Amino acid sequence: MENILEETKTLMKKYHIKANKSLGQNFLINSEVVKNIIESSNIVQEDMIIEIGPGLGTLTKYLLEKAGKVLCIELDSRMVNILEDRFSNDDKFEIINEDVLKVNLNKIIKENKEIGKIKNVKIVANLPYYITTPIIMKLLEEKLDIESITVMIQKEVADRLIEIPGGKNTGAITYTVYYYCESEKIMEVPNSSFIPEPEVTSEVIKMNLRKEPPVVLENTKVMFMLIKSAYMQRRKTLLNSLTNSKVFINKQEGAEILKKLNLNENVRPEELTIQDFANIAKIIVGGKK
Ligand code: SAM
């Protein structure tokens, strides 16, 4: 792997690039980290990689060596010009100059799979941190036909995403990630691995999409609504949160439901497993029939 620091400096000088902080531009300059991201993504020729926020193309270059196709989505048109200069003579390279949150990924994936050369789609990215959560939620909730998501994000968020529900870093998003994926930590990344240095420590994580969900429900909407309501008032007990948000008709009904499920009246949302929330959802849906 070439000297990524030198290459980044040369590109920034050549194209007069000053990183745009409001777009979360922190360019990766650590070749060990690049190597790890590429290797842990397990890329083969039948794969299409969707790279979100390719920036100057540091990861893109190595993704193009491994994948059958690399589709980049980049908002900053200055980056798009650089990427086109660097890679547009490679048939495997395609770029969309758009906000990733506005792109119809399902349509793109379907069209590319229909052509026949692409068997699997994987997401690889050093994400813009100011929109980490909306991007991850989009990738999961749109139920994309993808195999894995390998991303660099801020460590604090990473720890919440890869936690097993009920563990100490559990947040509402932990349940969503757990429902859709089996996830793992790849590596922690120090601030000095970027130009400019971000204010937070980073982490690379990999989320492998599950073939079967960990809990079986006719409709997951109620369960996710319950989780959202429970975590809106995190410091309260589950009983109080779900009563205040009118999920339980009143405290007495709530207490009866918790008792039925062998849950303590004083239990806090972060102590619940996904199965616990699924069980409450089943009782609530059953009661409304
Ligand atoms: N991949 C490059 C690297 O590793 O050096 C750059 C990563 S940088 C952390 C994030 C990139 O996401 C920037 O290039 C930024 O312009 C781009 N970006 C920011 N907001 C975006 C959005 N809404 N949609 C697509 N790309 C975005």
Side-chain angles (χ1 to χ4, degrees), residues 13-29:
K13 202 167 163 201
K14 180 173 170 198
Y15 291 93
H16 310 289
I17 297 297
K18 239 187 126 215
N20 182 338
K21 268 197 170 176
S22 62
L23 285 182
Q25 288 178 351
N26 300 97
F27 303 116
L28 192 52
I29 50 163

Side-chain angles (χ1 to χ4, degrees), residues 124-172:
V124 180
N126 172 14
L127 286 182
Y129 293 175
Y130 74 103
I131 42 169
T132 302
T133 306
I135 294 176
I136 300 287
M137 290 303 278
K138 174 185 169 82
L139 299 178
L140 299 177
E141 288 183 333
E142 290 186 358
K143 301 186 171 48
L144 306 175
D145 182 9
I146 56 177
E147 201 176 75
S148 63
I149 304 170
T150 307
V151 280
M152 166 115 66
I153 56 177
Q154 54 278 54
K155 179 179 158 34
E156 196 195 340
V157 179
D159 290 344
R160 214 175 316 134
L161 299 192
I162 63 172
E163 182 61 281
I164 306 223
K168 73 171 175 17
N169 296 310
T170 305

Side-chain angles (χ1 to χ4, degrees), residues 10-275:
T10 309
L11 282 168
M12 289 178 81
K13 202 167 163 201
K14 180 173 170 198
Y15 291 93
H16 310 289
I17 297 297
K18 239 187 126 215
N20 182 338
K21 268 197 170 176
S22 62
L23 285 182
Q25 288 178 351
N26 300 97
F27 303 116
L28 192 52
I29 50 163
N30 182 332
S31 49
E32 259 324 289
V33 179
V34 173
K35 203 168 144 221
N36 244 307
I37 294 176
I38 303 292
E39 277 174 11
S40 58
S41 305
N42 289 330
I43 304 165
V44 293
Q45 272 299 315
E46 288 82 34
D47 288 337
M48 172 167 87
I49 303 299
I50 299 180
E51 188 189 3
I52 301 166
L56 302 165
T58 306
L59 290 170
T60 320
K61 179 172 160 184
Y62 299 98
L63 294 170
L64 281 164
E65 283 177 7
K66 303 247 175 188
K69 175 159 184 183
V70 179
L71 182 115
C72 294
I73 303 170
E74 172 60 60
L75 183 57
D76 186 346
S77 50
R78 299 177 308 162
M79 300 298 141
V80 174
N81 287 337
I82 299 172
L83 293 157
E84 279 175 341
D85 276 359
R86 291 187 75 184
F87 307 119
S88 62
N89 57 355
D90 190 334
D91 296 342
K92 297 188 206 170
F93 171 78
E94 194 181 324
I95 183 143
I96 300 175
N97 187 187
E98 177 63 282
D99 173 354
V100 65
L101 297 175
K102 294 189 185 146
V103 175
N104 186 341
L105 292 172
N106 258 320
K107 186 166 166 250
I108 290 173
I109 292 169
K110 194 163 171 261
E111 284 169 359
N112 275 282
K113 279 202 159 179
E114 271 170 10
I115 299 170
K117 280 194 208 145
I118 300 299
K119 281 211 181 113
N120 288 309
V121 177
K122 294 169 180 162
I123 311 260
V124 180
N126 172 14
L127 286 182
Y129 293 175
Y130 74 103
I131 42 169
T132 302
T133 306
I135 294 176
I136 300 287
M137 290 303 278
K138 174 185 169 82
L139 299 178
L140 299 177
E141 288 183 333
E142 290 186 358
K143 301 186 171 48
L144 306 175
D145 182 9
I146 56 177
E147 201 176 75
S148 63
I149 304 170
T150 307
V151 280
M152 166 115 66
I153 56 177
Q154 54 278 54
K155 179 179 158 34
E156 196 195 340
V157 179
D159 290 344
R160 214 175 316 134
L161 299 192
I162 63 172
E163 182 61 281
I164 306 223
K168 73 171 175 17
N169 296 310
T170 305
I173 199 171
T174 308
Y175 297 88
T176 310
V177 175
Y178 187 81
Y179 180 79
Y180 291 107
C181 312
E182 271 180 289
S183 29
E184 59 182 311
K185 172 177 172 173
I186 305 296
M187 71 184 299
E188 217 171 284
V189 180
N191 307 28
S192 57
S193 300
F194 306 87
I195 297 184
E197 288 192 16
E199 274 149 31
V200 293
T201 307
S202 302
E203 194 165 301
V204 179
I205 61 169
K206 185 172 185 195
M207 293 170 269
N208 296 298
L209 276 287
R210 292 182 190 274
K211 304 253 179 316
E212 301 291 335
V215 289
V216 183
L217 281 167
E218 256 175 60
N219 183 342
T220 55
K221 261 199 193 140
V222 175
M223 180 181 74
F224 285 121
M225 179 276 290
L226 279 175
I227 293 170
K228 214 169 141 197
S229 305
Y231 276 86
M232 291 243 257
Q233 301 173 303
R234 216 195 140 126
R235 282 197 193 122
K236 294 216 160 87
T237 62
L238 181 78
L239 182 57
N240 282 336
S241 292
L242 295 187
T243 307
N244 290 346
S245 56
K246 313 251 182 304
V247 171
F248 294 148
I249 296 166
N250 52 43
K251 220 168 162 174
Q252 194 193 345
E253 186 217 48
E256 276 166 23
I257 292 177
L258 296 189
K259 197 168 169 209
K260 217 178 191 171
L261 297 171
N262 285 327
L263 289 168
N264 189 299
E265 255 193 40
N266 298 321
V267 73
R268 293 191 182 268
E270 64 270 25
E271 293 174 72
L272 264 67
T273 64
I274 197 162
Q275 187 64 59

